[in-house]
Amino acid sequence: MDRIIFFDTTLRDGEQSPGASLTSSAKLTIARHLAKLNVDVIEAGFPVASEDDAYAVKLIGKEVKGPVICALARCVPKDIEIALKSLESAQKPRLHLFLATSEIHRKFKLVKAKSEIIRIAKEMVSFAKKFIDDIEFSPEDATRTEPDFLLEVCKTVVDEGARTLNIPDTVGYAVPEEYGALIKFLREKIPQEIVISVHCHNDLGLAVANSLAAVKNGARQVECTINGIGERAGNASLEEIAMNLIVRKKYYGVRVDLETKHIYRISKLVSSLTGIPVQPNKAIVGDNAFKHESGIHQDGVIKCRETYEIMHPKMVGIPESTLVLGKHSGRHALKLRLESLGVSVDENTLNKIFEQFKKLADKKKEVNDLDLLVLAEQETISAVEPTYTLEYFHIISGTSTLPSATVRIRKKNEIIEDASLGDGPIDALYKAIDRIVKISPKLQEYKISAVTGGKDAQGEVIVSLMIDGMRVAGKGVSTDIIEASARAYLNAINQYLSRKNLVKKKYRGT
Ligand code: KIV
Ligand code: ZN
């Protein structure tokens, strides 16, 4: 009763973040990491929303063993059927049904009376129960619903077989004391074997505080996302809830079974794949979360770490920037170091990382843990088999010349070269690539940042492209920012091509 169930909805509510779009293979990569993190439930998507969503749920259900795999559905037979079909190969499937219950949603969105809401909820849970045992029910906008009506809906769906009752603060309106009291009210009236879950949005910046108040009052499942991404201002962040419950264990008195040492890596991964950066002062995973700037603080930390640190960065897998490897280090040393960072890879991937490591060591001399994580991430998350790879580029740029780029790209055994002028070096580079791949993407976003420290830091470029109405993100890392830009662009194009092929295959029924 004291164990907290972590329900991760990065791939569903998280993907509803403005600007985020994940390919099925990127979703699978994240799901695999979530399983390593030991989350209990992965909400893999909303299958009726698109072919892509349904396919991702199917893929994750087939490939990811361990956590419960959940699919979202409205209280509509077609939604339920599609969701159940997507869950067919999951070992532990869960159906998550939702129906709005608040007065404002009843009146303006659904145009339905209370009695109709009760009838629909009852019928749909009972219909779904014929096919699946594990059903979660969410009365959407619960925190703006009349408490007595909310209780009536909850009792109705429990009577029909729902096993988890999720009480969403859909619009982020709740405050901790009030939300805690609502959870207590429900907990006292709902049978103990039914898990009460919480799902908080961050419109007033209270999503984590509200989730914690709910735990204090009897909720035993928390719905959350990596980095707190999600609809509008986002959802409650998994890493913040987890570390609150762990660091203040005595206060909350609950157990967390997450492998928290994977938190930092998965935070980076989600940020790269969605193209949504993590703010530097973000609790737990922000770049500054464990940095001490003032002299007084630094002095204190040197004398006794706990003077200014309430948790050790290692707990969440933040590597200490110790020097580890140089250009003379061998494959075995690399493998051991990666393992100590929680990255286990097969021989083939190790060879690829080793190749990149050697190139980087030639440029940087000193390769630290953070560099290694970036390399490993590059190789392990390049979620798609690339159609195009960069062979060579040459840029001419300056204040008195029109920038030009020559680019050579490999497509299997074929080498293609082309050149273009542009408004700037990156523009010229991208135009030359467009000529080679014969696609004209619209560049929606271009972000550049240093991912490791020092003058020879590795630069990371994240681009977001719109191609034929499909939004894809791509990432490239290099000590040369023009090379990182080319890699990011090609990565996004490769994502697009792989997604297009998948959709084609699906239509062919394979
Ligand atoms: O915020 C919300 O109400 C939701 C439901 C589907 C649970 O995301
Ligand atoms: Zn939500």
Side-chain angles (χ1 to χ4, degrees), residues 195-207:
V195 175
I196 295 200
S197 166
V198 289
H199 175 114
C200 297
H201 280 271
N202 207 28
D203 299 66
L204 291 172
L206 290 173

Side-chain angles (χ1 to χ4, degrees), residues 13-211:
D13 216 327
E15 210 219 4
Q16 287 173 221
S17 302
S21 158
L22 293 163
T23 59
S24 318
S25 47
K27 285 186 186 174
L28 177 61
T29 307
I30 294 174
R32 288 202 165 113
H33 280 75
L34 288 170
K36 266 196 188 171
L37 180 62
N38 205 26
V39 302
D40 301 279
V41 187
I42 296 175
E43 187 163 51
F46 185 17
V48 80
S50 72
E51 282 260 340
D52 260 12
D53 252 51
Y55 179 70
V57 175
K58 221 180 238 175
L59 190 65
I60 292 168
K62 192 161 156 243
E63 300 287 332
V64 181
K65 305 296 168 208
V68 169
I69 305 300
C70 175
L72 183 70
R74 290 170 301 180
C75 281
V76 174
K78 180 178 158 225
D79 279 37
I80 297 174
E81 278 154 15
I82 293 177
L84 291 175
K85 200 154 179 41
S86 313
L87 287 170
E88 259 168 16
S89 21
Q91 242 171 20
K92 293 188 261 173
R94 173 180 295 187
L95 180 70
H96 180 184
L97 289 174
F98 73 101
L99 179 62
T101 51
S102 64
E103 187 183 6
I104 188 164
H105 280 235
R106 293 193 313 261
K107 198 164 161 192
F108 295 102
K109 190 179 86 173
L110 301 175
V111 198
K112 293 207 185 313
K114 282 181 177 173
S115 55
E116 284 176 278
I117 299 290
I118 296 280
R119 178 187 58 77
I120 295 168
K122 185 177 161 73
E123 281 178 15
M124 289 302 104
V125 175
S126 142
F127 168 66
K129 194 71 184 178
K130 290 188 200 129
F131 309 101
I132 187 165
D133 191 37
D134 188 353
I135 297 179
E136 168 170 333
F137 185 89
S138 287
E140 192 191 4
D141 203 16
T143 50
R144 291 193 298 171
T145 301
E146 306 87 323
D148 287 339
F149 179 58
L150 181 64
L151 179 63
E152 191 184 343
V153 174
C154 289
K155 282 185 165 165
T156 304
V157 296
V158 164
D159 285 348
E160 296 306 320
R163 298 203 320 210
T164 301
L165 278 180
N166 183 41
I167 310 301
D169 182 27
T170 305
V171 290
Y173 179 72
V175 290
E177 290 76 8
E178 188 187 71
Y179 192 53
L182 177 65
I183 297 300
K184 190 162 186 276
F185 162 76
L186 293 171
R187 183 63 292 171
E188 282 165 358
K189 295 184 170 51
I190 299 290
Q192 288 305 307
E193 67 276 16
I194 304 300
V195 175
I196 295 200
S197 166
V198 289
H199 175 114
C200 297
H201 280 271
N202 207 28
D203 299 66
L204 291 172
L206 290 173
V208 171
N210 284 331
S211 306

